[in-house]
Amino acid sequence: MKTELITMAAPARAAERAAAILRAGGLVGLPTETVYGLGADGLNEAAVRRIFEAKGRPQDNPLILHVPEAAWLDRYCLDIPAEARDLAARFWPGPLTMILKRREIVPDAVTCGLETVGVRCPDHPAALAVIRAAGVPVAAPSGNRSGRPSPTCAAHMLEDMDGLIEAVVDGGPCGVGVESTILDLTGERPRLLRPGGLPLEALEAVLGQITVDRAVTSPLAAGERPRAPGMKYRHYAPKAPVTVVTGAGADTARYIRDHAGPGTGIICFDEYADSFPGCAVRPIGASADTAEQARRVFDALRSFDGTAVTAIYAQCPPDAGLGLAVANRLKKAAGFQIVALEEGA
Ligand code: AMP
Ligand code: MG
């Protein structure tokens, strides 16, 4: 199949073209503020199944439904708690996915048979225009082949999906760079299933303390089932193995320099970019600038594929603000292979 690249030179026409492909059951790579998604008509079971095929995605990993406004919540969800409406009013459009009870109209192919559905309204003019023009909720996971780092620009989308899908809409690089924050509102208390573009602290300022699912910070025990099915898979991973080093920047830089050899890949903070002579160095932003790190972390992870790099070390921000999401993506890319230097190292 030839994959069409749709530019935003004429935005209304581009949205109409992408919407027509979606309405016909096709797959479109769509820019959002978080990462690029692989979209299909979320009410068309056959189209949704094609997402799983194109990605090589496990059949038990449900998709997020993307809507153009909070008023659509009632079409797809039941028993919507007041908190959900409050959060939508404050944070939508934006990088927050809420897990709610689903209505029957949502196909099993989207929820993988769960009684709940994840819903979000993306903060991106192209995504919103396409969804509105299509007139249907768009089911979209991240647009990478399963297990790979998520795409944060149209070129990444094509790297993984050229020839497998009908089109990619080029909306430029993503402003946030990591996926949405997933909050489960179907239990007794709200629970964070995945840290993402909306910091946990912003949610806690509204809801009070939120339980963080264990799968966010630790590997699962053998046979353990996470609440967000996607959290159990190795994810975001480049081909070379990754080791994450946590602790103060100067300590982690020294540790990595002592363990790196020629041809080692390094993901580091800008301050340490010159500390690894002979290595393939990818600075991802100043150590205090977690927003910049979020924008660049997936590109850095991707950039080692197709090079001679056989091992990768990464500095890692602390678990605060967007740092929680950046650290989670790095640790998952590393399969939780972590060297912790915090205490007396
Ligand atoms: P992706 O968009 O590729 O980041 O994947 C969507 C993420 O949302 C995966 O981690 C899913 O497991 C999670 N997810 C989607 N729907 C649900 C749901 N109903 N309950 C829990 N997690 C969900
Ligand atoms: Mg994904």
Side-chain angles (χ1 to χ4, degrees):
M1 168 182 322
K2 172 129 180 55
T3 301
E4 178 181 339
L5 186 66
I6 302 175
T7 73
M8 293 305 292
R13 199 163 352 119
E16 253 321 314
R17 175 75 193 126
I21 294 170
L22 290 173
R23 280 194 303 263
L27 301 185
V28 180
L30 281 176
T32 79
E33 82 281 28
T34 58
V35 301
Y36 274 65
L38 180 55
D41 173 353
L43 300 181
N44 177 339
E45 187 117 36
V48 170
R49 271 201 223 96
R50 283 193 54 211
I51 292 179
F52 287 81
E53 277 164 36
K55 279 183 63 91
R57 185 175 176 97
Q59 296 290 333
D60 65 349
N61 192 3
L63 309 180
I64 293 168
L65 274 189
H66 292 73
V67 298
E69 55 186 295
W72 283 36
L73 270 177
D74 295 278
R75 299 185 187 185
Y76 310 114
C77 304
L78 278 172
D79 302 341
I80 301 169
E83 288 101 322
R85 296 194 196 276
D86 186 20
L87 293 174
R90 285 171 196 262
F91 297 119
W92 280 6
L96 171 67
T97 295
M98 295 190 286
I99 306 295
L100 296 165
K101 237 168 107 180
R102 68 143 171 180
R103 281 188 188 274
E104 283 294 310
I105 188 178
V106 180
D108 274 343
V110 171
T111 66
C112 297
L114 295 177
E115 285 310 308
T116 57
V117 62
V119 188
R120 131 171 157 88
C121 175
D123 187 13
H124 194 290
L128 289 172
V130 172
I131 300 168
R132 284 213 171 89
V136 292
V138 171
S142 52
N144 50 286
R145 292 269 308 160
S146 208
R148 298 247 306 141
S150 301
T152 52
C153 62
H156 292 167
M157 244 342 283
L158 288 170
E159 243 168 55
D160 283 21
M161 292 295 163
D162 196 15
L164 297 175
I165 64 176
E166 276 76 4
V168 171
V169 175
D170 186 352
C174 299
V176 173
V178 290
E179 301 87 339
S180 59
T181 301
I182 303 183
L183 186 69
D184 184 353
L185 291 167
T186 62
E188 217 137 86
R189 297 169 47 87
R191 175 181 282 262
L192 183 82
L193 300 188
R194 177 176 74 183
L198 183 68
L200 176 61
E201 293 86 342
L203 289 169
E204 290 192 319
V206 178
L207 299 176
Q209 210 199 338
I210 293 172
T211 310
V212 175
D213 204 64
R214 237 173 50 76
V216 169
T217 47
S218 350
L220 294 165
E224 191 180 350
R225 283 165 58 110
R227 293 178 197 233
M231 296 298 272
K232 75 168 170 282
Y233 295 105
R234 180 156 185 261
H235 211 158
Y236 316 124
K239 300 204 168 88
V242 180
T243 303
V244 165
V245 188
T246 64
D251 296 340
T252 58
R254 195 175 322 110
Y255 178 94
I256 292 172
R257 195 190 54 225
D258 290 349
H259 289 78
T264 303
I266 314 277
I267 293 176
C268 68
F269 303 129
D270 289 355
E271 296 92 316
Y272 305 99
D274 296 331
S275 307
F276 313 100
C279 297
V281 181
R282 308 287 189 267
I284 58 168
S287 54
D289 190 352
T290 50
E292 183 66 8
Q293 294 160 29
R295 273 189 288 277
R296 287 161 64 181
V297 67
F298 283 132
D299 184 60
L301 284 166
R302 262 176 191 265
S303 70
F304 296 113
D305 287 350
T307 73
V309 163
T310 51
I312 299 165
Y313 282 97
Q315 288 188 297
C316 181
D319 285 342
L322 284 175
L324 183 64
V326 174
N328 168 266
R329 303 311 188 266
L330 286 170
K331 289 173 184 173
K332 291 205 63 167
F336 286 97
Q337 167 76 26
I338 299 167
V339 176
L341 300 181
E342 277 87 351
E343 280 158 353

